[in-house]
Amino acid sequence: MNIDFNVKLESTVYHPDPIYQKESWMGDWNTAYQRFLDNPTRFWEEKAEELEWFKRWECVRQWNHPYAQWFVGGKLNITHNCLDRHANGDNKNKVALIWRGEDEFSERVLTYRQLYHQVMRFANALKDLGVTKGDAVCLYMPFVLEHIVAILACARIGAVHSIVYGGFGAAALHTRIRDAKAKVIITADIGYRRGNTIPLKSIVDDAIRNAPSVEKVVVLFRSKPHEELISEKQVDFYEIMRAADPFCKPQVMDAEDPLFILYTSGTTGTPKGIVHTCGGYMVGTYYTTKYVMDLKDSDVYWCTADPGWITGHSYIIYGPLAAGGTILISESVPDYPNPGIWWDIIEEQGVTVFYTSPTAIRMFMKFGEEWPFRYNLDSLRIIGSVGEPLNPEAFEWYHRVIGKGRCPILDTWWQTETGMQMITTLVGEPMKPGFSGRPIPGVIADVVDREGNSNPPGIGGLLVIKEPWPAMMRTIQNHDERYRKYWTTIKQYYTAGDLAVKDDDGYIMFLGRSDDIIIIAGHNIGTAEVESALVSHEAVAEAAVIGRPDPIKGQSIKAFVILCIGYEPGENLKKDLIYHVRMSLGPIAMPSEIEFVSSLPKTRSGKIMRRVLKAQEMGIDPGDVSTLEE
Ligand code: WTA
């Protein structure tokens, strides 16, 4: 693929009120970034010193390319910093979590003290099931408070959690359970979405067939009356909690012990189990929550992600709790029961920091300004975006209609692999629609050509990170070679897989992925995963999948399918194939269009050239096709 291209870079510049910067934790970018460059070790050490450690580290960073260790020798437990530190201090009565159900009037609140106690009890319940440090626990849950309690309980006892988004289907869940060798699964009988129920537990029942590592399934019952527990493997969430001891000391963890695995789509059919560790991840997420999102003690913070994605891990749970924030969580989707629900929640709860996705913003643009205008959004201080490029139109709308021309917008670029935010425009800095911004202090990033030479402004290239950072992934579960590839593709840099361009001020604009990953509504879907789901249908001989532009979701999936002999193309078969993908991977991976074809463009070595299909689809030049078979 040709990665060097000219990009037009003009953009309007917005200047937030100087008071934002004056009152921010970080201050101005130039000074803060220079302080980092002057002494990177001291920079990170200062951030780590704001947190509590059972034993101080001996060395801040040990870099043995491509393996980094951070806060080497340090001992900690992240939940001590997320819970005990607040619950045993002045913040004990501070609200930690406010949960809103899909039905407008269901709400639950936990103070730091209450959350601390629930986590300890559930941690003991897990211990009673035989879970010990290093065991993998898979969570497949709806977005309820118990989900967060269960996650923190794993971290409390040193179990490695692997959260699988509740929208994934049985096959996707099965792969993830097997790869992580999960000993315990925590789920609920049902989830709610747009007034419908999703049968989570029956999906788990399917997924654990042929998954010998699974010893127990913990079920949170929400429906009343609920079904009886039938198999011996199953236990009731609250029953085991009630039977458990109330006090649970945090497990002493080494800074480099694993904290969790989170699966993300890769360019092959098998998802990548990204492994994060305790110390560096804690410091990175705490630092960014406080200094980048500028979280203050009085804030009411709402991140609309789900715990099943990295954004949920880092910016609903670990970062904001470590920073002692008041966190709003909601099971509701943006448009149910009506497209005013989120603005209603912001007004009612007095949300001050709001963090969502470009897809959600574009959806609201479609519903019309009259919805947000019905509500008072004056409480908002800072608004953010993550997951995909925030296009200038969406930026302008977000800024004017939600931020009232006043709130700084944080368009944060980062990845499951990076663990923490990496590039954005700091609060109070001039903002340029279409540009995410500059690397945050602590991060050294650049746009380069294939050889790793820095590209001048206006010339597109690949985004790389030149030096390790504390919250970076440490390996990929069972596939360290896939990890090493990130750091060995271009020089000794970390290659993110994103195309980008920078302007004269060093602001970076993101232009999409350079590989076969499609980003739909901010969710990574590997083309290979969808293709193998299609091929697992009896009618399909071969399949190729591409992403094409979608006005709301950023991209959508189009599949090209070659049928097996004896099958006739037709509308019913299309529906059947879409349903098949839905059942195996989940609704997020469903193709929006299927085209039956008799051949696919391939290289002589047999690789499908998706880029040729994409160019055909979009009526553009396919570029170099010299390797095409015919
Ligand atoms: C894309 C989500 C442009 C990017 C935190 C990246 C973005 C992938 C942005 C990671 C942004 C995320 N602007 N693109 N602000 N944020 N991306 O692992 O392609 O789910 O590589 O992490 O999302 O997605 P992931």
Side-chain angles (χ1 to χ4, degrees):
M1 181 194 289
N2 182 15
I3 56 153
D4 302 316
F5 43 87
N6 283 300
V7 184
K8 257 183 69 198
L9 288 178
E10 321 120 22
S11 151
T12 344
V13 183
Y14 289 82
H15 294 274
D17 189 324
I19 193 81
Y20 272 103
Q21 189 162 77
K22 216 172 130 236
E23 293 184 348
S24 71
W25 288 111
M26 184 82 93
D28 75 286
W29 184 86
N30 276 309
T31 314
Y33 202 82
Q34 194 52 50
R35 275 202 61 217
F36 155 66
L37 289 179
D38 289 347
N39 193 342
T41 307
R42 189 63 206 132
F43 175 88
W44 285 115
E45 194 157 52
E46 274 172 13
K47 306 301 175 285
E49 281 168 355
E50 294 184 19
L51 295 158
E52 291 176 4
W53 299 71
F54 301 143
K55 178 175 166 281
R56 194 185 163 90
W57 54 92
E58 283 134 30
C59 154
V60 171
R61 179 188 111 167
Q62 219 168 60
W63 181 220
N64 180 13
H65 182 272
Y67 300 107
Q69 295 196 330
W70 285 85
F71 308 106
V72 186
K75 304 284 179 198
L76 75 147
N77 187 294
I78 196 166
T79 70
H80 172 85
N81 281 288
C82 292
L83 301 171
D84 310 39
R85 201 159 73 90
H86 315 302
N88 296 322
D90 294 342
N91 266 346
K92 62 173 177 290
N93 293 326
K94 182 171 177 176
V95 171
L97 293 168
I98 307 165
W99 173 85
R100 284 281 311 245
E102 207 181 55
D103 130 35
E104 289 162 86
F105 302 106
S106 50
E107 178 180 299
R108 288 170 65 196
V109 175
L110 287 181
T111 63
Y112 270 96
R113 190 86 190 166
Q114 290 169 318
L115 179 62
Y116 165 66
H117 279 286
Q118 297 213 1
V119 169
M120 288 200 293
R121 240 184 212 275
F122 195 68
N124 279 330
L126 288 176
K127 276 190 183 170
D128 294 343
L129 292 182
V131 179
T132 56
K133 182 178 169 186
D135 285 342
V137 173
C138 172
L139 292 91
Y140 183 70
M141 294 190 81
F143 199 2
V144 285
L145 285 177
E146 287 86 349
H147 194 357
I148 295 190
V149 168
I151 292 165
L152 293 167
C154 290
R156 186 87 177 165
I157 62 173
V160 178
H161 58 72
S162 162
I163 308 176
V164 178
Y165 174 58
F168 275 118
L173 178 59
H174 175 80
T175 315
R176 287 158 175 78
I177 291 171
R178 276 194 75 120
D179 191 73
K181 300 190 185 64
K183 188 169 177 179
V184 168
I185 317 282
I186 307 174
T187 188
D189 53 351
I190 52 167
Y192 295 104
R193 201 168 172 87
R194 294 201 168 80
N196 300 316
T197 55
I198 301 163
L200 296 174
K201 198 185 80 67
S202 66
I203 296 173
V204 170
D205 290 341
D206 280 349
I208 61 173
R209 268 188 221 126
N210 211 358
S213 62
V214 180
E215 292 174 12
K216 291 281 175 207
V217 178
V218 182
V219 187
L220 171 75
F221 287 102
R222 305 179 79 192
S223 50
K224 287 187 190 100
H226 65 72
E227 65 168 284
E228 294 289 310
L229 288 166
I230 27 171
S231 94
E232 272 199 357
K233 267 192 182 172
Q234 295 178 15
V235 291
D236 179 320
F237 190 101
Y238 276 110
E239 244 166 53
I240 59 167
M241 198 158 159
R242 242 172 254 127
D245 280 344
F247 185 78
C248 175
K249 254 173 82 170
Q251 175 73 40
V252 175
M253 303 295 283
D254 189 88
E256 286 297 320
D257 279 336
L259 174 64
F260 65 83
I261 305 172
L262 179 59
Y263 287 88
T264 184
S265 293
T267 47
T268 71
T270 32
K272 296 182 281 196
I274 306 293
V275 177
H276 281 287
T277 53
C278 297
Y281 178 81
M282 171 176 78
V283 174
T285 54
Y286 164 79
Y287 158 63
T288 43
T289 303
K290 177 169 166 185
Y291 291 89
V292 175
M293 291 202 281
D294 198 39
L295 199 71
K296 301 274 166 54
D297 198 36
S298 55
D299 276 322
V300 177
Y301 166 87
W302 186 16
C303 165
T304 66
D306 183 276
W309 310 113
I310 191 67
T311 307
H313 285 61
S314 301
Y315 298 112
I316 293 177
I317 304 168
Y318 291 115
L321 287 173
T326 292
I327 304 150
L328 178 77
I329 59 177
S330 169
E331 198 176 10
S332 66
V333 293
D335 57 347
Y336 181 87
N338 62 60
I341 181 70
W342 282 15
W343 317 123
D344 192 7
I345 294 176
I346 289 177
E347 175 175 346
E348 184 194 292
Q349 304 286 344
V351 172
T352 54
V353 180
F354 179 63
Y355 193 28
T356 193
S357 68
T359 291
I361 297 165
R362 288 189 295 259
M363 242 171 103
F364 288 121
M365 288 169 75
K366 191 188 72 179
F367 297 138
E369 308 182 356
E370 59 276 17
W371 282 104
F373 279 133
R374 281 185 206 167
Y375 301 91
N376 181 340
L377 305 181
D378 285 351
S379 60
L380 288 174
R381 200 166 72 74
I382 293 166
I383 54 181
S385 164
V386 60
E388 38 179 327
L390 181 63
N391 51 305
E393 297 72 28
F395 179 103
E396 309 267 359
W397 189 90
Y398 198 29
H399 185 253
R400 177 174 59 82
V401 179
I402 307 304
K404 309 295 175 200
R406 164 178 57 80
C407 299
I409 293 182
L410 291 169
D411 172 5
T412 59
W413 178 90
W414 58 293
Q415 306 179 299
T416 306
E417 294 89 330
T418 70
M420 65 181 219
Q421 297 160 342
M422 303 291 279
I423 294 170
T424 192
T425 302
L426 294 179
V427 168
E429 291 287 326
M431 300 181 290
K432 303 183 189 184
F435 289 83
S436 166
R438 289 177 287 197
I440 62 168
V443 172
I444 301 183
D446 200 0
V447 176
V448 300
D449 66 16
R450 270 196 200 290
E451 277 67 56
N453 307 307
S454 186
N455 274 358
I459 303 295
L462 294 162
L463 187 95
V464 294
I465 313 288
K466 295 187 164 176
E467 289 281 331
W469 61 99
M472 62 190 252
M473 67 166 158
R474 298 300 195 267
T475 185
I476 288 172
Q477 182 79 359
N478 306 326
H479 290 284
D480 194 59
E481 77 291 349
R482 289 177 93 178
Y483 166 78
R484 289 195 294 271
K485 222 173 142 196
Y486 282 85
W487 285 97
T488 47
T489 302
I490 299 176
K491 283 192 173 162
Q492 297 214 321
Y493 302 154
Y494 170 87
T495 308
D498 276 48
L499 296 168
V501 61
K502 56 184 192 254
D503 73 359
D504 291 324
D505 298 322
Y507 277 54
I508 295 170
M509 174 188 279
F510 285 93
L511 305 160
R513 297 285 309 177
S514 67
D515 55 18
D516 289 325
I517 290 172
I518 309 175
I519 306 219
I520 302 167
H523 306 145
N524 297 10
I525 310 286
T527 46
E529 241 176 314
V530 183
E531 286 161 4
S532 59
L534 281 165
V535 173
S536 72
H537 188 284
E538 55 179 14
V540 178
E542 268 192 276
V545 157
I546 60 165
R548 43 173 207 180
D550 180 282
I552 306 276
K553 293 186 287 182
Q555 285 188 290
S556 65
I557 295 177
K558 174 160 184 187
F560 298 85
V561 168
I562 302 180
L563 291 176
C564 295
I565 293 168
Y567 288 90
E568 284 304 313
E571 284 311 307
N572 281 343
L573 185 53
K574 272 188 193 172
K575 282 196 196 124
D576 202 35
L577 294 181
I578 292 173
Y579 181 75
H580 179 74
V581 175
R582 184 192 172 108
M583 292 319 282
S584 40
L585 296 179
I588 47 173
M590 261 169 24
S592 57
E593 195 188 333
I594 290 188
E595 185 178 326
F596 295 110
V597 291
S598 54
S599 68
L600 289 168
K602 284 187 188 161
T603 61
R604 276 176 218 117
S605 59
K607 272 198 185 142
I608 296 171
M609 291 180 86
R610 299 187 187 85
R611 139 172 92 79
V612 173
L613 289 169
K614 202 165 169 168
Q616 260 171 17
E617 178 71 21
M618 292 164 66
I620 54 173
D621 176 14
D624 178 16
V625 288
S626 57
T627 57
L628 196 65
E629 193 181 27
E630 51 191 66

